[in-house]
Amino acid sequence: KVLRNEKVGNSLMKSLVLSALICLICLSLAFSQNNEDESQKLIRQMAVFYQQGKLNEAIPLAEKIIKLEREKKSPNQQNLITSLENLSQLKSERFKQTMAELVSPDLKPDKIKSLLEKMRKDGDENEVIFREALMLAGKNPNIPKEQIIGLKNNFAWFLYKYFPNQANFPIGFEKQSKEQFDSLNKTQFYERINEAEKLYAEALKNSETNFGNDNDITLLSLYNFA
């Protein structure tokens, strides 16, 4: 029963997340009507690649769109926030694909190192993207409520799933060194878990306040928080 409920929940989550990403891409298309032709073209190409499942082709386009939005230096950063969220979702999807490959029974040993490096790179970059998007969204009163809720839910999931490496931390085999390393790992782990819980709680509260209890956005937020 637990496995069945988890499968149903994951199916619901995947359906809503994919729908949200398609909506975000469409929102980007709507925003780009007054933008330069280059931005419009890149957004349309990105949408096509995403719908075809070609994340490696879609991600560089999403990065170019963000670069163009930064160069405009517009006081209204709604387009930039949406572009950052599009990139975070695309990178999250690739992160999930890499995780799935790493636990696949068909995984070849010679691919483990490259997959881990790919996952770490996407993870480190994605955390920076998520934090900037949330920071900008928090300062912009025009951002749709469902977009902020989606950002919080998705970043919370990422914090829960991704555990970054400790940079330049010496690991020895003696007891004291191992204990220090374990203590640092536990501290970082609980910091990330607590931040994720806070974001999930905020997303749920925002969902209930703005959309009521009988709504897919609230249901997904409640499932995540649980």
Side-chain angles (χ1 to χ4, degrees):
K1 181 177 179 181
V2 171
L3 291 175
R4 183 169 67 251
N5 288 344
E6 182 176 355
K7 184 176 179 181
V8 171
N10 288 338
S11 177
L12 169 66
M13 191 184 317
K14 183 176 181 182
S15 173
L16 291 176
V17 167
L18 293 179
S19 297
L21 181 51
I22 292 171
C23 288
L24 279 171
I25 291 173
C26 292
L27 193 58
S28 296
L29 289 169
F31 284 160
S32 70
Q33 295 305 310
N34 297 321
N35 291 348
E36 299 173 0
D37 289 343
E38 185 177 2
S39 292
Q40 294 181 27
K41 182 179 178 181
L42 288 173
I43 291 170
R44 295 182 189 282
Q45 288 176 340
M46 179 185 70
V48 170
F49 280 138
Y50 167 71
Q51 290 172 337
Q52 293 174 345
K54 298 179 179 179
L55 299 177
N56 291 335
E57 289 80 3
I59 286 174
L61 297 181
E63 292 171 337
K64 288 181 181 179
I65 293 166
I66 290 173
K67 183 179 178 181
L68 289 175
E69 290 299 330
R70 293 193 194 281
E71 290 172 352
K72 292 171 187 175
K73 297 181 179 179
S74 171
N76 179 8
Q77 295 183 307
Q78 193 165 352
N79 290 5
L80 175 58
I81 295 167
T82 299
S83 300
L84 287 166
E85 186 170 9
N86 281 337
L87 178 58
S88 72
Q89 291 285 26
L90 291 168
K91 279 189 171 288
S92 291
E93 285 298 310
R94 190 165 71 179
F95 181 87
K96 293 173 187 177
Q97 285 185 359
T98 307
M99 285 180 62
E101 287 184 69
L102 283 167
V103 298
S104 170
D106 299 323
L107 175 65
K108 300 294 189 295
D110 59 347
K111 291 189 64 179
I112 294 176
K113 182 179 178 180
S114 62
L115 286 173
L116 283 172
E117 289 174 350
K118 178 182 177 183
M119 187 176 72
R120 293 289 183 190
K121 185 174 186 298
D122 275 343
D124 290 342
E125 292 175 355
N126 212 15
E127 182 158 350
V128 174
I129 296 164
F130 267 123
R131 291 193 185 279
E132 182 182 5
L134 269 173
M135 182 269 293
L136 293 175
K139 295 179 179 179
N140 192 322
N142 297 319
I143 295 297
K145 300 298 183 184
E146 59 269 28
Q147 189 171 356
I148 296 179
I149 292 168
L151 268 170
K152 289 181 177 180
N153 270 316
N154 292 326
F155 186 36
W157 178 92
F158 179 79
L159 286 168
Y160 180 72
K161 290 292 185 180
Y162 179 58
F163 190 73
N165 280 332
Q166 292 290 347
N168 302 320
F169 186 84
I171 304 174
F173 292 99
E174 67 277 8
K175 181 179 179 182
Q176 183 179 1
S177 178
K178 289 193 293 183
E179 287 177 349
Q180 287 177 342
F181 181 72
D182 289 342
S183 176
L184 186 61
N185 272 344
K186 287 179 181 178
T187 300
Q188 186 183 25
F189 174 77
Y190 284 114
E191 284 177 353
R192 294 176 76 81
I193 292 299
N194 290 337
E195 186 177 4
E197 182 179 3
K198 180 181 177 182
L199 287 168
Y200 276 140
E202 289 175 357
L204 177 58
K205 184 178 179 180
N206 292 345
S207 300
E208 292 173 337
T209 300
N210 292 284
F211 302 103
N213 295 329
D214 190 18
N215 182 280
D216 283 347
I217 296 174
T218 303
L219 178 58
L220 176 59
S221 298
L222 181 60
Y223 175 81
N224 287 338
F225 191 40

